[in-house]
Amino acid sequence: MQPKEIVAQFIENIRAQRLDEAKDLLADEGFEYVGPNMRFLSRDDMLAYQFGMFAIQKDLVLRQLSAEGEHVFAILDYRTYFEPIGDVRLAIWFRVGEEKIQGVETFYNAAVIENMLGGSLPASE
């Protein structure tokens, strides 16, 4: 699969809440997730956090997906059931190598989510 196809499948797996299938697309070693206020160096830690967010996830809408070599860029709307958050627009940069997602960097307004969680987000290393 091409990097863009791998990322499209990963996003669809997260949208459909299929974590085992999403995990298969992430690098087992050397994986890194960086967000505005959290960092995970393990795919398991990142997916455990994502599992916790499924309770409020109404939908994940892919608005744009583009690729330049092994770099894939996505714009998504994360729609929630949680009214204080509403919908969150995400910009995500994926780095793909050896047919696995090696790195994910997410950009969004973290203040909304921090407020929902009482100002405490996980910082895993």
Side-chain angles (χ1 to χ4, degrees), residues 4-48:
K4 187 174 178 180
E5 296 168 322
I6 292 168
V7 169
Q9 186 60 57
F10 175 79
I11 291 169
E12 174 55 26
N13 289 341
I14 294 296
R15 189 199 65 73
Q17 301 185 10
R18 296 187 303 252
L19 285 182
D20 287 339
E21 292 175 39
K23 182 178 178 175
D24 289 341
L25 297 170
L26 301 174
D28 185 31
E29 294 188 25
F31 175 81
E32 180 182 34
Y33 170 89
V34 178
N37 47 11
M38 66 185 79
R39 180 175 182 221
F40 299 109
L41 298 177
S42 155
R43 67 184 187 173
D44 292 323
D45 291 345
M46 186 202 74
L47 291 173

Side-chain angles (χ1 to χ4, degrees), residues 32-71:
E32 180 182 34
Y33 170 89
V34 178
N37 47 11
M38 66 185 79
R39 180 175 182 221
F40 299 109
L41 298 177
S42 155
R43 67 184 187 173
D44 292 323
D45 291 345
M46 186 202 74
L47 291 173
Y49 175 75
Q50 185 61 48
F51 177 77
M53 297 300 287
F54 281 160
I56 65 166
Q57 178 182 314
K58 183 188 303 183
D59 199 4
L60 190 60
V61 178
L62 179 61
R63 298 181 62 209
Q64 175 71 37
L65 188 65
S66 59
E68 186 175 308
E70 293 184 338
H71 301 273

Side-chain angles (χ1 to χ4, degrees), residues 107-120:
F107 305 87
Y108 58 88
N109 180 355
V112 174
I113 294 173
E114 266 188 38
N115 289 337
M116 176 196 75
L117 298 174
S120 60

